[in-house]
Amino acid sequence: MDPTQLIPTPDTIPAPWEFFQLLLILTFFAHLVFMNAMLGSAMIALVREMRAKPADPPPCRDIASILPYTIAFAVNFGVAPLLFLQVLYGHFIYTSSILMGAYWLSIIGLLILAYYSAYLYKMGGDLPRITRIRALTTSILLLLIIAFLFVNNLTLMQTPQNWNAYFQRPDGTLLNLADPTLLARYLHFVVASVAMGGLLLAILALFQQKKGVVGAENRLRGGMQWFTYATMVEIGIGIPFLFSLPKNVHQLFVGGALLHTTLFTASLVTAFFALYYGAKERVWPATAAMGTTILLMVLVRDLARQAYLAPYFHPADLQIVPQWSPMLLFLAILVIGVAVVVYMLKLAARVPREVR
Amino acid sequence: MNYPVWQLDFSGGGLLIALIAVLHVYISHFAIGGGLFLVLTEMKGYREGSQPILDYTRQHTKFFLLLTLVLGAITGVGIWFTIALIAPAATSILIHNFVFGWAIEWVFFLGEIVSILIYYQTFGRMERRSHLLIGWLYFIFAWLSLFAINGIIGFMLTPGEWLATGNFWDGIFNPAFWPALFFRTFLCLMLAGLYGFLTSTAIKEEAFRLRMVRYCAAWLLAPFLLFLASAWWYVQALPEPQRAWIANFSPELAPFLTVFLWASVLLFLGGLIMVIRLPKTATRSLAVVLLLLGITYMGAFEYIREGSRRPFTLYGHIYANSILVKDLGAVQAKGILASAKWTGKEITAENRLVVGRQLFNIMCSPCHSVGGPMRDIKKMSAKYESVYAMEAEISGQGRLIRCMPPFAGNLQERHALAAYIIEGLHNRKEQTTPPPQLSAPPLAPLPFDPEQDGYVLIAWNSLGMHSISDADGTFSLMPPANDLFAQLIKRGPIPEVVTEGVALSFRVEQGFEKPAAQVGFWKDLPALFGRSLPDNIGLSGQGLSGVMQRKQGGRSFVAEKVPVVPYPAQGGYQPYPSFTIEARDKTTNTLLAATRMVAPVATEMGCKTCHGGGWRRGNTGISTAAAQDILTMHDRFHKTKLAAQVKAGKPVLCQSCHPDPILNGPGKAGLLNLSASIHGFHANFLGGRGAEACALCHPSSPQGATRFLRGIHHEAGLDCTTCHGALEDHALALLLAEKQAGKPGAQRLMQHLTPQGATPLAGIQPRTPWLQQPDCLTCHVNFGPPETDSAFNVWTTGADALYRNRHDDAGSIHCAGCHGSPHAEYPATNPYERERDNFAPRQYQSNPYPLGANRNCKLCHTVDMDTDLHHPNSLNMMRNTRE
C-alpha cells in the first residue's frame, strides 16, 4: 500500500510550528544530557565495581548517590520533548508507536524496574559487592533495552515506507530492525553516553578536588579519559552512521545544503575541541565544547528527520489555530517555575554535606 | 479511522489503560495529599518538640519518595503512552488542544521532582524554615499538577462550551472542574491517612504507634464528609445525559456504584477501628486491607467517571472508536473502509473475515477484548446464533444501547463485521439445512348433500395464527387461548342464521386433548393470572371439547380461549390442529350439521435467534435460556427485577405491566402497550429488513416449521409488509398512538426509527394494537379487485370493524365464515396438508374457494340469486382459480 495513504491526518497546532520546534530542541537537548550522564555514569560505575576487589570499599558512591536522580531528570526532560514531538509529528510517532506497541509500552515496566534497581544500588552501600553489581547491571541492561526501543521507534516514525509490515503483524510486535541506520544510530547514542558519563565523573571529581577529597585527582583523570576515548569512538561510529543514512539525506550534510552542511561541520569542529580539551583534562572547556556539540547534533538530527519526511510532510504544513493566552501563561509559569527551582537548588546547595 | 489499531485481543478493551490508570491515580493522589501530610507532620514534630515524630516523618518521606517518584511518576508517563497507543486520535486532540496545559503541568512536575528530592536529601540537615518551605513548595507544585490535569480529565467527560468554541479555557474550566477539584483534593487528603497507616503501624513503640495511627486516622476521617459532599456536587454539576447515566445506576455502571458506596462505608468504619488500641499485627493487617480497599474504591470511582463518558472518548466530540461526532454522517455515507486509512478497501467473499477483523479492530476493540476480562466480545456475542442476528445487534448500537456508538458502516461492512464475530471467533458457519418437511394426513371428510341437507355449518378461528409463548416457568407473552367461531345457516330460498334451539359443540382432533401434558402453562397459572384451573381447561373455562356459547349480541357461536397447543400426544409439532364442530337440535339432540375447522396455534417464536438458547423442542418453542436472557435484558434496560422474580419461582406475565387489548389487560399506567413496546424496541435492531424481520419473531418464515401465511394473499406474492408495513412503520404507528396518550417511553423508542415506506412520519396514522388492523377494503375498493398494493396506514376504526368480527352487508354472515380465517383466506394452501384450511369449501362446494364463490348462491339459498346481497361484486366469478 502506498505509504502516503497510511499517514494519518494531523490536528491543528495552537502556535507557530517554530515555537514548538524551539521547545523540542531545547528540551531534547536537556533530555540527552541527563540521559547520557545517567547511562554513561552507570556503565562506568559498573566497570569500576567489577574491577574493585571484594575487600575494597564500594567505589563510585558519588555516582550511586545521584543515579536515581539523573533518571528522574532524564524522565522529566524526556516528557517535554515527547510532548512537543507529538505536537509537530504526532501522526508519525503515534503510528510507529502502535506498530511496536507491545515493545513501546514495555518501556514503562522496564523503566520502573531500572529505576528501582538504581535506588537499590544507591541505597545499597552496605550491601555485598555482588548484590550491588547485580542491581546496577539490571538497571543498565534495562536502560539499554529502553534506548534500543526508542531508536526503533524514532526511526520507524520517519520511514512510513516500512509501515506496511503492520498488515502482517498488527499485534504491536514490529521493530524497525531492517533499517540500515539502526545499529549505528543506537551505538552513537550509547557511546555518547559513556563520554558524558566520563565527563560527569570528572565534574564531580572537580568539586571533590576543591573540597580536598582524597583521590579526586585520579577520578578526574579517569573521567576525562573515559570522555576522550569514548568521544574518539563516537566519531568513529558517527561517520558510518552518516553514510548509512539514505543518500538524499546524508548528502545534505556533506555539501548538499548550506544550512545542513554548516551545522554538521560546526558540530565536527566542536567535537574536535571537546577531544582536545578532554586530552588536556580541562573539564569546563571540554564540557562547553561537548555541550555545543550535543546542541548542534540535536539540530542536525532534526534536519535529518525533516529530510526523511520531506516527501510526506513538513511541520510548516500544520494548520495553526492560535491560543495566545495559554501560551503566555505557560511562558510565565515556566519562568516562575524555573526561578523557584533555582531558588530551591540554592537553598539545597547551602546545606552542609552529609557526614557519613 | 486515522490510525492503525494495536490488535490486543485478550488485553484489549481498555484493560491496559484500566490497570495502569488505577495504579497511577491511586499513587498520584497520595503524592499530593501525602506531600501536605509530610510538611504538616514535620511541623507537628517541631511544634511538639518530638524527635520520634520527625524520625517518623523522615522514614515516611523515604517511603513516599520511592513510591511516588518512581512508581507514581512512571505510571503517569505510562498512561500517556497507553492512551496514545489505544486511542491515538483522542490523545492527539488532547495534546494539540491542551499542549500548553500539558507543558504547564510539566513545569509543575519538574518543581515536584526538585523539591521532593531536596526535601528528602536534606531532611534534618537543612535549616528548619527552609526545609518546611521546600515541603510546602512540593505540596504546592503537586496540587497545581492536579489543578492542571483535573481540567483536562474533566474536559473529557464534560467539555461544556468547548464543543462550540474550541476555546482552551472553556475546556479547562469545564462544568465539572471545580467539584472535581474539591473531590480529588479531599480524596488526596484521605489517601495521605490511608498510606500513613502503612508506615505508622510499623512503629515499634506502642504508645507512639497508637498516637501516629490515630493521627493518620484523622487524615482519613476528617475530610470524609466533605469528600462525600463534593462527590454529590460533582454528580449534580454534570450535564444531564452524563448525570442521568450515573444517577440512574445505568446497567454498565451499577456494580461500580455499588462498590463505591459500600467501600465508602467500609473505609470510614475501617478508619474508626484504627483509632481503637489494637495489637500491632491487627492494625498492620488492617492497614493493608484498607489500602487494598482504597484502590478498589479509587478504581470504582475512575471506572464510573470513564464509564459515564460512553460512548465517547471526549464527550460529544469523538466516539470511543475514534470517529468524530461531526464525521459520523459522512462515514456512514461513505463506509468505514473508504474512510479509514489502515484497512482493506473492498470486501470480497475471500477476504470478508480478514476485513471483518479490521472493522472489529476499529469499531469494537477500543472497548471489547477477545477472550479477555474487559467486555469480552466472545462472551457477549455467544448468544447470537447467526451472522444475521449479530448484524441485528450491531444495527441497534447507539440507539437503545446508548453506551455504544452508532455503527458507522454500510451493509456490507456490517455483514463482514458480524461474520468475523460469528464465523471467525465462534466458528459458527452458516448452516444451510433444508427446511423441515411438513406433512399431515388429510382431515377425514364429512358429508354434505346439497340436495338433502338442510343446514350449512361454518366455522373459523378468530386469528390466522395464535402464537403462544411456551417459555414455561419464565414468562408468558400469550397463553394458549384460541377463539373458535361458528355459524349455523338453515338453507332455503331465504336462508336463516340459526341462533336459537340449537347447541353447537366443538371437539379437538385426537392427540390434542391433553395440552397440560405438553406445556407448563397450568403450573404457571397461579403466578401468571392469580388463579388455578384444572389441567386442560382454558382461561374462560373451556376445555378441548365442549359446548360453544352464543356470542353476546351476535349471530354466531363461540368457544373462547380454548387452550389448544401445537404438540400432539404422539410427539412432534402440528400447528394446525383441527376441531370438529357439530350443531344439534337442542330438543331432540339430532345432528343438524357438522364441519371441521383448523385452530392455528404456533410456538415458533424466534427469540432464540438473538437471545440464544436454541429452540425449546425441535424447531419451535422458547427455551428457558432464551427466556431468561430476555428477562435479563429487560432488567438491564428498564431496571426491573424480573430475572430474580423468576428465580424466586414466580413466572412473569408481560401483560401484568404492559397493557394489551388482546387480553384486556390494563397493565400499569404510563407504560407502553405490549405490542408497541416489543415492536418499537426490536425495530431499532431489525430495521431495513422487510418481511424477513417479521419472520425472525413470528412464525411466517417460508423455511420455518409453521409458515402461517397460507391464504391466497401469500400465494399472490404479498407479504407481511404489504398490509402491516415494514417493521419500522408498523412500530411507529403503534408508538405514535402511545405518544399521543402521553406515554414517555414512546419517543425514546421512536427517535431513531425512519419510515421505510412511502408515508413520512408526519403522515403515519396512530393505531391501537389488535383493535385496529389493516382494512381489506383499502385495496379491495368496493369489494373489487385490488387497486393498490399497500394496505398500510388505513386502520379499521375499532374492534367491530375487524375482518374477524365483521359482517356482510346483510348483517348476518361473518366475513371470515365465507372467506376463511385471517391469513388463511380461501383458497388457502396449508404447508402441512394443502387443503387443510379449505375444509369447509371442500365439504360444501368441492372446491377451495370462498363459500358461494362463482355464484354458488345455491349453497345456502338453494336457488340461484341475481343480487349481490352480501357485499358488492359478490356475484363476480373467482379470479384466483386453481388448476
Side-chain angles (χ1 to χ4, degrees), chain A residues 6-9 11-12 14 69 76 86-87 94-95 97 102 104-105 116 166 170-171 323 325-326 330 352 354, chain B residues 2-3 5-7 66 80-82 85 92 95-97 99 103 106 109-110 117-118 121 125 168-169 341-342:
Chain A
L6 297 176
I7 298 169
T9 312
D11 286 308
T12 60
Y69 303 166
N76 179 267
Q86 289 187 12
V87 172
Y94 291 142
T95 304
S97 303
W104 187 240
L105 191 57
Y116 276 127
Y166 166 81
D171 57 354
Q323 294 177 357
S325 59
F330 161 63
E354 199 166 3
Chain B
N2 220 348
Y3 288 92
V5 175
W6 180 13
Q7 192 172 296
L66 285 173
W80 189 27
F81 270 49
T82 314
L85 290 171
S92 179
I95 292 295
H96 287 85
N97 279 277
V99 57
W106 166 72
F109 179 31
L110 176 66
L117 288 178
I118 294 175
Q121 200 69 33
R125 293 189 293 121
F168 177 92
W169 302 112
K341 289 184 185 287
W342 288 78

Side-chain angles (χ1 to χ4, degrees), chain B residues 462 768 770-778 783 794-808 814-816 822:
Chain B
S462 63
T768 307
W770 297 112
L771 304 182
Q772 290 185 288
Q773 296 285 4
D775 191 331
C776 311
L777 300 181
T778 304
F783 299 89
V794 179
W795 315 124
T796 53
T797 49
D800 289 345
L802 291 168
Y803 171 78
R804 66 174 184 263
N805 293 333
R806 210 145 147 181
H807 296 274
D808 61 353
H814 280 268
C815 301

Side-chain angles (χ1 to χ4, degrees), chain B residues 700 702 707 709-719 823 825 829:
Chain B
S700 58
R707 306 177 204 173
L709 298 175
R710 54 208 194 278
I712 184 62
H713 286 137
H714 179 58
E715 199 171 303
L718 310 187
D719 64 30
H823 297 131
E825 323 82 42
T829 306

Side-chain angles (χ1 to χ4, degrees), chain A residues 32-241:
Chain A
L32 266 192
V33 170
F34 280 110
M35 189 270 284
N36 283 345
M38 162 193 89
L39 183 60
S41 64
M43 287 196 288
I44 294 169
L46 180 62
V47 172
R48 294 203 170 164
E49 287 279 1
M50 291 172 87
R51 278 189 195 157
K53 294 189 180 70
D56 289 350
C60 303
R61 284 289 89 193
D62 49 352
I63 292 178
S65 70
I66 61 166
L67 183 60
Y69 303 166
T70 55
I71 297 181
F73 289 109
V75 170
N76 179 267
F77 280 98
V79 164
L82 192 56
L83 174 66
F84 301 124
L85 184 74
Q86 289 187 12
V87 172
L88 295 177
Y89 296 98
H91 48 312
F92 291 95
I93 187 76
Y94 291 142
T95 304
S96 56
S97 303
I98 290 164
L99 302 195
M100 57 176 291
Y103 294 113
W104 187 240
L105 191 57
S106 75
I107 286 175
I108 301 303
L110 300 177
L111 182 56
I112 289 169
L113 290 177
Y115 210 161
Y116 276 127
S117 303
Y119 263 108
L120 183 61
Y121 180 61
K122 170 186 162 73
M123 293 173 174
D126 303 328
L127 294 174
R129 175 172 165 268
I130 186 70
T131 311
R132 293 199 310 271
I133 289 178
R134 278 179 186 159
L136 188 56
T137 308
T138 306
S139 195
I140 291 169
L141 281 178
L142 295 174
L143 293 173
L144 284 173
I145 293 171
I146 292 170
F148 182 70
L149 297 177
F150 263 87
V151 169
N152 268 279
N153 198 356
L154 274 293
T155 53
L156 188 56
M157 76 164 268
Q158 61 195 24
T159 48
Q161 63 275 19
N162 295 345
W163 291 358
N164 263 317
Y166 166 81
F167 292 100
Q168 275 68 54
R169 284 172 79 173
D171 57 354
T173 55
L174 285 174
L175 286 173
N176 203 25
L177 300 178
D179 190 310
T181 69
L182 192 79
L183 188 65
R185 188 182 171 109
Y186 178 63
L187 291 175
H188 198 64
F189 279 100
V190 172
V191 175
S193 297
V194 177
M196 284 298 288
L199 193 59
L200 177 66
L201 215 65
I203 293 171
L204 289 174
L206 197 65
F207 285 117
Q208 290 160 4
Q209 200 176 28
K210 279 181 187 166
K211 288 177 183 167
V213 179
V214 183
E217 203 164 312
N218 279 343
R219 278 210 283 281
L220 191 148
R221 181 164 305 126
M224 289 312 277
Q225 278 173 2
W226 278 105
F227 171 72
T228 312
Y229 289 126
T231 304
M232 286 165 73
V233 176
E234 179 73 349
I235 294 170
I237 293 168
I239 293 164
F241 175 31

Side-chain angles (χ1 to χ4, degrees), chain B residues 821-834:
Chain B
S821 300
H823 297 131
E825 323 82 42
Y826 303 137
T829 306
N830 189 293
Y832 279 75
E833 188 268 305
R834 191 182 187 209

Side-chain angles (χ1 to χ4, degrees), chain B residues 729-790:
Chain B
D729 306 49
H730 178 73
L732 281 168
L734 291 165
L735 288 165
L736 275 167
E738 295 294 79
K739 191 179 175 185
Q740 285 180 358
K743 295 187 181 175
Q747 182 57 32
R748 192 175 69 86
L749 296 182
M750 283 173 66
Q751 60 186 324
H752 299 289
L753 300 182
T754 313
Q756 300 293 297
T759 316
L761 180 60
I764 291 182
Q765 295 299 315
R767 126 182 138 78
T768 307
W770 297 112
L771 304 182
Q772 290 185 288
Q773 296 285 4
D775 191 331
C776 311
L777 300 181
T778 304
C779 298
H780 296 281
V781 176
N782 204 28
F783 299 89
E787 291 187 1
T788 165
D789 60 358
S790 172

